[in-house]
Amino acid sequence: METDEVPKPKKAPYKSKRYFLSSLNTYFGYQLIQQLRNDTEHPEDPNLIVGTIILESKFPLHPGVRKVIDPSKMSFLQKVILDSDVIIYDINTCEHSECEYAIKSLKLGSYEQEKILILVSSVMAWSATDPKEKKAGEEEEDGGYPPESGEEEGKAQDDGEDAPPKKEYTRFNESDYPKRKALPQYESLCSLESLCLSVNRPNLKTFILCAGILYGMGEDHFYTKFKGAWLQNTITFHNKNKVPCIHVKDLALFVQKLVEKPVNQKYIFAIDHNQNPSHKAIIDSISKGVGNSKIQQSDVAIPEFKIDLRMKPTKVFDAFLEEQGDQGDEEQAVDKFTFNWWCKEGIRANIAKIRQEFVDYHNLKPIRIAITGPPGIGKTTIANQISQYFSIPHITVKELIQEYLNQTNEEVEQLKSSLEENRNQLVEEAKALYDIQREKRKQLKQPYIPFDDSKIEARLTDEQLITIYKWRLMQNDCQNRGFILDNYPKTYAQAKQLFYNIEGEGEEQKVNLNKLILPEHFIVLTGNDEQIVDRIKFSKTHKYNEDVLLKRLKNYKILNTKKGYTILIDFYKELKVDVCDISVFNKQTNIQETCRSFIERNGKYRNYKHIEEDLEEKRLNEKKDQMQKQSDQNQKLKELRDKKEDELWKIQEEEYRIKQEHSVNYEKELLESRSLPLRQYLNDNVVPFITEGLVEIVKQNPENVIDFLSEFLFKRSLQVRFPDPKLYFENSE
């Protein structure tokens, strides 16, 4: 009997989405865009990502952003939001008024296609919530948080018969969201969450992602802790309070999966599965994984590190994963749903990964250097100067051995016992030799010399010393910043033992190069014996013993001269490690500058010392540029002001000239108008008589003309009655 084959379900056709994101240029915004972009998988029709930005943000804008929207143009903002398929608002960083406007636009706006609105909130919306008390007989599904050392959490301790039973607390789940309370500065988060949850439209799905404190990818809230640990400083924790967290990439993944598989639950906890999220445990893991394992308690902390919240990670996607598991063969699964956590178990379980992210993000590349040269040439002095300049550990054999022996662990105790046995054996041998020499001195009647074993020291074997060096080079400060090895290793064999790891035995034995501790720069100091002897002879810091020095110089030449076998420099050349030979006694050579140029030949190294120096230099340059710009601006303003003053002065001068001219003309006209009656009076009554007198002068030709004219005018005035001059002025008026 033939059976009908069940047709295989077809994979849903691809369709790009239009995303609107707030806070594009933020710590979380950059990672979210990186998660949502798909221009590599679908270059012909990728997702369209637009949104708004934060002014004066220190984070760059992702190149995957198609367009930045101006939120001040409200009508255009509303149009873009209503045209988008997915709207995502990070209410921890965006303008809350903008978010409120967007929610109301989606609640009341006109649109037919289905949309998704996601608000990325924070556990700070629960920052003032009272702990959730455990009910009698209630047990958590996964057992809850395990108690820390010295703490029996969730169990009443027997403090006496009359002591009241201690309260037991359990973790919040997502259905408890109506109980949430926030500190005053975070109450607006709750308000926006409530507004979003109140939206009820059939074609709009709304979600609240209550995110833990973010970490990873260069850090945000935890930046100062990672920086302090990287610098080997003691870092502080607040208390054993529970701080729910999530990696920033996992939060971006939560958003993507909500878009991919919308769930029936509106309020979702986006936190990792850290089994002990106490602030102390988190800081302790950072200090051990990045720093020097030193922490101390402090009451000074940002609000995010003071919260104490017991929260249960979400299980909203478990149904999809279980349903998919029931489909059987993976090849038959259509649109396979996966949730690939980046740091599911939290900071403590993934500290190595997070530390590498921090180093890569801030470009904190370690500087690994080895320096060698003949005894007495100044290796330690030069190495110490390089160490201080680049802020890297300077590793000398004497200090290294003492540092290792100061530890308290089983391996160190075994080494101490071995050294003690070795020293006792050396003392016995020295005592036997002393006894023989004492008898000889006694026979020769020479002065008695007591036996002194204070200078007898046990020497480490090459294997023991290499073990100690490997331990030191794998410490966090060396892995973070690098190191400078002072005159070790000394031979090819020592170098091979130090920088290679041997795994397995017999035929399965594998030898692997440990690139984490291999130097990238090898400096060889050179100089002739006579110059070295002269240097030590006149040095105030070295005890001069010419025989011992010449013997050591001879041994160095034997170890570093090719005679049919490989030497130390061959080891580095085989691994293509760059080598720099420096002639110490060449007066034209600046040793420090030569070393720095060699080490930075491929670019400047960045660590926090140099970063801070660069920032300070940048700050000073910016200040200088700002002052120069201000000076130039002041100069331009002065020139502009002077120009305006000159123009104003010219205008005022011209106005004054015109006014003066008008005044003169006015006075002239006024004078003329006032003098007209007088001139008329003179013309009528004076000028004719003067003319008559002048005619008489011509006729009579008197000796004294003036006296004649005066007498004539006087006589004539007595003969004629002149009119009153006032009449002329009255008539003119």
Side-chain angles (χ1 to χ4, degrees):
M1 182 176 178
E2 294 183 1
T3 58
D4 295 333
E5 292 185 3
V6 178
K8 293 181 179 180
K10 295 181 180 180
K11 187 175 182 179
Y14 165 77
K15 183 181 179 182
S16 65
K17 286 184 169 58
R18 291 168 293 180
Y19 287 90
F20 177 90
L21 278 62
S22 74
S23 313
L24 293 168
N25 57 336
T26 59
Y27 172 61
F28 171 61
Y30 192 93
Q31 296 302 322
L32 180 58
I33 297 166
Q34 185 68 21
Q35 189 72 37
L36 298 177
R37 66 182 301 195
N38 63 347
D39 47 355
T40 303
E41 297 85 350
H42 301 282
E44 70 287 345
D45 187 22
N47 291 330
L48 178 67
I49 301 175
V50 301
T52 55
I53 61 173
I54 301 297
L55 298 178
E56 300 180 359
S57 173
K58 64 179 180 180
F59 296 97
L61 185 66
H62 197 289
V65 175
R66 183 70 61 88
K67 187 176 182 179
V68 175
I69 307 301
D70 184 359
S72 63
K73 299 177 180 178
M74 305 298 283
S75 58
F76 182 68
L77 174 66
Q78 184 184 50
K79 182 179 183 303
V80 173
I81 290 174
L82 296 180
D83 286 343
S84 301
D85 300 314
V86 182
I87 300 91
I88 304 167
Y89 265 90
D90 178 8
I91 61 176
N92 300 294
T93 56
C94 75
E95 287 291 336
H96 287 184
S97 58
E98 178 194 331
C99 179
E100 183 179 353
Y101 178 77
I103 296 172
K104 291 180 179 178
S105 297
L106 289 166
K107 184 177 182 178
L108 306 173
S110 175
Y111 53 91
E112 296 180 357
Q113 72 274 23
E114 291 190 355
K115 299 185 184 300
I116 296 175
L117 170 63
I118 301 174
L119 258 59
V120 180
S121 185
S122 168
V123 292
M124 299 309 293
W126 296 64
S127 53
T129 309
D130 295 328
K132 182 180 179 182
E133 294 186 22
K134 183 184 291 187
K135 296 179 182 178
E138 181 183 3
E139 293 292 336
E140 293 196 36
E141 296 176 8
D142 53 2
Y145 296 137
E148 297 186 40
S149 59
E151 176 188 9
E152 289 295 328
E153 184 175 63
K155 292 184 179 181
Q157 296 180 359
D158 187 11
D159 293 333
E161 295 181 0
D162 298 330
K166 290 191 175 181
K167 292 182 179 180
E168 297 181 9
Y169 300 106
T170 185
R171 292 187 289 177
F172 288 107
N173 54 45
E174 290 141 328
S175 61
D176 294 321
Y177 75 86
K179 302 176 183 177
R180 71 194 188 287
K181 295 178 184 177
L183 293 171
Q185 62 267 40
Y186 299 103
E187 287 178 350
S188 57
L189 297 180
C190 295
S191 300
L192 288 173
E193 288 180 358
S194 300
L195 179 62
C196 181
L197 292 169
S198 68
V199 178
N200 187 16
R201 288 189 61 158
N203 56 348
L204 177 64
K205 295 180 179 179
T206 58
F207 301 101
I208 307 294
L209 274 180
C210 182
I213 307 304
L214 298 181
Y215 62 87
M217 301 307 295
E219 301 309 321
D220 187 18
H221 293 102
F222 285 97
Y223 173 75
T224 55
K225 304 301 180 183
F226 273 84
K227 177 183 175 182
W230 194 92
L231 291 169
Q232 305 300 297
N233 296 332
T234 300
I235 55 177
T236 59
F237 67 93
H238 180 62
N239 212 321
K240 294 182 180 180
N241 53 301
K242 303 295 187 284
V243 182
C245 299
I246 188 170
H247 194 286
V248 65
K249 291 181 70 172
D250 287 325
L251 180 57
L253 182 64
F254 261 88
V255 175
Q256 184 197 31
K257 292 305 177 182
L258 270 180
V259 176
E260 183 181 335
K261 288 283 186 181
V263 296
N264 294 324
Q265 184 174 307
K266 287 191 172 186
Y267 203 96
I268 300 168
F269 286 164
I271 60 176
D272 58 33
H273 291 244
N274 188 349
Q275 289 301 302
N276 184 13
S278 75
H279 194 237
K280 179 182 179 181
I282 292 171
I283 297 304
D284 185 57
S285 66
I286 294 172
S287 185
K288 289 179 178 177
V290 183
N292 57 10
S293 301
K294 295 179 180 179
I295 63 173
Q296 67 180 23
Q297 189 171 2
S298 172
D299 292 332
V300 179
I302 60 175
E304 286 80 359
F305 293 160
K306 290 184 177 181
I307 59 174
D308 188 9
L309 291 170
R310 293 161 172 79
M311 306 179 90
K312 190 181 297 183
T314 188
K315 294 185 177 181
V316 292
F317 297 115
D318 290 2
F320 296 117
L321 297 172
E322 290 171 3
E323 178 184 342
Q324 191 162 266
D326 295 338
Q327 293 180 2
D329 190 358
E330 292 184 2
E331 295 181 359
Q332 296 180 359
V334 178
D335 293 337
K336 181 179 179 182
F337 179 83
T338 58
F339 197 98
N340 299 319
W341 281 87
W342 183 251
C343 288
K344 182 176 182 179
E345 304 302 326
I347 293 179
R348 297 170 64 238
N350 296 278
I351 188 61
K353 180 192 290 188
I354 300 166
R355 168 194 162 188
Q356 192 59 47
E357 289 176 354
F358 181 80
V359 169
D360 292 342
Y361 184 90
H362 295 286
N363 195 23
L364 299 170
K365 189 178 179 183
I367 311 171
R368 298 189 292 269
I369 310 166
I371 187 169
T372 191
I377 202 167
K379 298 181 294 296
T380 299
T381 301
I382 295 170
N384 190 51
Q385 291 171 344
I386 294 172
S387 166
Q388 291 180 2
Y389 179 77
F390 288 106
S391 188
I392 57 177
H394 177 198
I395 300 176
T396 60
V397 64
K398 187 175 181 180
E399 293 178 355
L400 171 60
I401 293 171
Q402 189 59 48
E403 181 182 354
Y404 186 78
L405 294 177
N406 286 339
Q407 295 185 101
T408 54
N409 57 54
E410 187 176 347
E411 293 179 355
V412 173
E413 294 304 321
Q414 290 177 357
L415 180 61
K416 287 180 179 179
S417 299
S418 175
L419 289 174
E420 187 65 26
E421 291 175 4
N422 190 0
R423 185 180 183 280
N424 291 338
Q425 185 178 351
L426 292 174
V427 170
E428 289 178 5
E429 293 174 358
K431 186 69 169 60
L433 182 61
Y434 168 79
D435 290 340
I436 295 172
Q437 292 177 346
R438 186 184 63 178
E439 290 298 325
K440 290 182 179 179
R441 295 178 67 85
K442 188 175 181 181
Q443 293 174 4
L444 296 172
K445 297 183 179 180
Q446 292 179 348
Y448 170 75
I449 300 176
F451 178 69
D452 182 13
D453 63 351
S454 60
K455 295 182 180 180
I456 299 176
E457 293 182 357
R459 297 184 66 84
L460 295 168
T461 64
D462 271 357
E463 289 76 12
Q464 291 171 329
L465 191 56
I466 285 168
T467 299
I468 295 174
Y469 265 97
K470 283 187 175 182
W471 165 82
R472 182 66 184 91
L473 297 182
M474 288 303 295
Q475 295 298 300
N476 286 329
D477 59 343
C478 289
Q479 290 298 299
N480 291 341
R481 290 181 284 172
F483 51 80
I484 180 163
L485 285 171
D486 188 346
N487 201 35
Y488 197 87
K490 297 182 179 181
T491 66
Y492 184 95
Q494 288 176 341
K496 196 160 187 178
Q497 283 182 285
L498 177 58
F499 300 121
Y500 278 90
N501 293 331
I502 300 175
E503 299 176 357
E505 295 180 356
E507 295 180 356
E508 297 181 356
Q509 189 179 78
K510 294 181 180 179
V511 180
N512 299 317
L513 179 65
N514 189 351
K515 294 183 179 180
L516 295 175
I517 64 174
L518 178 68
E520 298 172 315
H521 320 280
F522 183 48
I523 299 172
V524 181
L525 304 179
T526 60
N528 61 55
D529 292 356
E530 291 78 10
Q531 290 172 314
I532 293 173
V533 170
D534 288 342
R535 176 182 179 275
I536 298 298
K537 185 184 294 184
F538 298 105
S539 172
K540 295 180 180 180
T541 58
H542 294 82
K543 292 182 179 180
Y544 175 65
N545 188 319
E546 187 170 345
D547 293 336
V548 174
L549 179 59
L550 291 175
K551 184 178 179 180
R552 293 178 62 200
L553 288 169
K554 183 179 179 180
N555 290 336
Y556 175 81
K557 287 183 178 180
I558 292 173
L559 291 174
N560 291 277
T561 303
K562 281 196 173 185
K563 288 185 178 180
Y565 56 86
T566 52
I567 58 175
L568 179 62
I569 198 170
D570 294 331
F571 175 84
Y572 291 107
K573 287 183 176 179
E574 287 173 5
L575 295 174
K576 297 182 180 180
V577 175
D578 291 336
V579 180
C580 178
D581 288 298
I582 300 177
S583 178
V584 174
F585 300 106
N586 185 346
K587 294 182 180 180
Q588 297 179 349
T589 302
N590 186 322
I591 300 173
Q592 283 300 308
E593 286 300 323
T594 303
C595 290
R596 293 173 192 171
S597 299
F598 169 66
I599 294 166
E600 295 182 331
R601 63 195 177 280
N602 296 322
K604 191 171 183 179
Y605 279 89
R606 288 175 62 81
N607 58 32
Y608 272 110
K609 178 185 176 185
H610 284 162
I611 288 174
E612 288 168 359
E613 288 178 351
D614 292 345
L615 289 174
E616 180 64 15
E617 184 179 356
K618 182 181 178 182
R619 188 187 67 80
L620 292 174
N621 289 335
E622 287 177 350
K623 186 176 180 181
K624 185 178 178 181
D625 293 341
Q626 187 177 2
M627 291 178 66
Q628 184 62 41
K629 287 180 181 178
Q630 187 67 35
S631 177
D632 294 342
Q633 187 176 1
N634 291 340
Q635 183 64 29
K636 288 181 180 179
L637 289 173
K638 184 177 180 301
E639 292 175 357
L640 183 62
R641 188 168 57 251
D642 292 345
K643 184 178 179 181
K644 286 184 177 180
E645 288 179 355
D646 290 342
E647 291 176 353
L648 183 62
W649 173 256
K650 289 180 180 179
I651 292 172
Q652 291 175 344
E653 192 176 40
E654 181 65 20
E655 290 177 350
Y656 179 76
R657 186 189 65 77
I658 292 172
K659 286 181 180 179
Q660 283 292 99
E661 188 175 323
H662 287 170
S663 178
V664 170
N665 292 335
Y666 175 76
E667 289 179 356
K668 186 177 179 182
E669 292 176 358
L670 182 62
L671 185 61
E672 287 181 355
S673 64
R674 290 181 177 179
S675 63
L676 185 60
L678 181 60
R679 291 202 308 270
Q680 187 64 39
Y681 176 83
L682 292 174
N683 284 333
D684 292 346
N685 301 291
V686 177
V687 173
F689 294 106
I690 293 175
T691 304
E692 186 178 347
L694 292 174
V695 172
E696 290 296 326
I697 289 172
V698 173
K699 289 180 179 181
Q700 299 182 22
N701 193 17
E703 293 181 0
N704 193 328
V705 175
I706 294 175
D707 289 343
F708 178 82
L709 181 61
S710 300
E711 187 178 353
F712 176 81
L713 292 174
F714 178 74
K715 290 179 180 181
R716 195 79 175 86
S717 64
L718 295 175
Q719 299 173 357
V720 179
R721 187 175 180 179
F722 294 97
D724 188 355
K726 292 181 179 179
L727 296 175
Y728 282 84
F729 289 97
E730 291 175 357
N731 293 333
S732 64
E733 293 177 357

